[in-house]
Amino acid sequence: MPLLKKWIQQDAVFGIWQVTEPFEWFRSRLISPYPYDEELQSFKSETRKLEYVATRVLLHELYGKETSIGHHDSGKPFLPDTNTYITISHTQGYIAIGICPSAEIGIDIEYRSDRVRRIQNRFLSKEETDWCSSPITDNAIEKLLLCWTAKETVYKVMNKEGVDFSRDITVHPFTPYQDEWFTVSEGGTLTPKEHLLHYEINERFACTWTIDR
């Protein structure tokens, strides 16, 4: 299946690709002279190679033309020779990308599994843990997945090292499937701010995104 979902929010464009095609299918669609082969040779993992080519095919779909992707020392991606911001996320079988010409953006996608339960102590505060385990609204796994992806999303627009997910990023309670968006507070800086996040949650994955206005 090629493009799973593509949408526009304000002046940003987002897309999710379900990666079911083989490596050669994606590689055959990369036609420009950028040194893909040289970069691909540096990857030992076949999964990493597949993510690499699939990411660039999805970017072409969203951006309208093929272009290279650079990375800062922090690992944050950027598009050379343009002021367009880009955000990228990979998870098992899916790739998500967002691009925006006017503001930093963040997106994160995570496949649905119980793995998030085992690591929740790494990224949840006590208050968030209580909310996620509360029987009042239920949907515990959904809340955990959305908390994890939300914090990853906000981290991508913070541009700050040494962020403690449990202390410096706070997800405010909301009702998955009912509320169209929710808010996340960013602390650990001299100028705390609040981010508005949109999301999608289904039987396959959780995805959150934001535009940092």
Side-chain angles (χ1 to χ4, degrees):
M1 175 186 291
L3 190 64
L4 183 65
K5 180 178 181 180
K6 177 180 178 181
W7 69 100
I8 297 174
Q9 184 175 321
Q10 299 176 34
D11 59 343
V13 182
F14 298 89
I16 298 174
W17 196 295
Q18 183 177 8
V19 183
T20 58
E21 303 84 353
F23 171 86
E24 289 301 332
W25 187 91
F26 288 104
R27 182 64 185 89
S28 67
R29 281 154 177 77
L30 299 176
I31 58 175
S32 72
Y34 293 115
Y36 296 121
D37 290 334
E38 181 179 343
E39 292 187 65
L40 283 167
Q41 289 174 5
S42 68
F43 302 134
K44 296 181 179 180
S45 167
E46 295 302 318
T47 298
R48 183 67 188 90
K49 291 179 181 180
L50 179 59
E51 286 179 350
Y52 178 95
V53 290
T55 295
R56 281 147 183 81
V57 170
L58 176 54
L59 177 58
H60 189 182
E61 174 71 29
L62 302 180
Y63 195 53
K65 60 181 179 180
E66 193 167 324
T67 185
S68 62
I69 301 173
H71 290 86
H72 297 290
D73 291 341
S74 64
K76 184 180 178 65
F78 67 92
L79 298 179
D81 304 320
T82 176
N83 293 323
T84 299
Y85 297 92
I86 182 171
T87 180
I88 302 171
S89 180
H90 307 102
T91 192
Q92 184 173 297
Y94 297 93
I95 293 173
I97 294 179
I99 55 174
C100 182
S102 63
E104 285 272 14
I105 54 174
I107 195 169
D108 194 73
I109 188 168
E110 176 72 17
Y111 73 96
R112 192 180 183 113
S113 74
D114 285 337
R115 181 179 75 95
V116 71
R117 294 185 187 274
R118 300 193 296 271
I119 64 172
Q120 62 180 295
N121 291 336
R122 302 180 192 175
F123 65 91
L124 291 182
S125 66
K126 181 184 183 304
E127 292 77 13
E128 291 167 334
T129 300
D130 291 343
W131 170 65
C132 286
S133 59
S134 170
I136 296 176
T137 56
D138 205 6
N139 296 323
I141 189 66
E142 286 84 356
K143 288 185 284 188
L144 285 171
L145 285 167
L146 289 170
C147 278
W148 173 248
T149 58
K151 294 194 177 198
E152 285 283 355
T153 295
V154 169
Y155 173 70
K156 291 176 180 180
V157 300
M158 287 177 69
N159 287 322
K160 182 178 182 295
E161 296 183 2
V163 175
D164 184 321
F165 276 29
S166 65
R167 185 188 64 230
D168 298 333
I169 306 176
T170 301
V171 177
H172 299 290
F174 67 101
T175 305
Y177 301 112
Q178 294 184 28
D179 297 330
E180 294 183 4
W181 49 267
F182 60 98
T183 57
V184 178
S185 294
E186 168 193 333
T189 65
L190 295 176
T191 55
K193 61 190 297 185
E194 191 169 271
H195 301 268
L196 186 151
L197 273 74
H198 292 269
Y199 69 96
E200 177 171 346
I201 180 96
N202 55 46
E203 70 281 0
R204 295 168 292 175
F205 61 80
C207 181
T208 59
W209 62 92
T210 189
I211 304 172
D212 189 31
R213 299 297 183 188

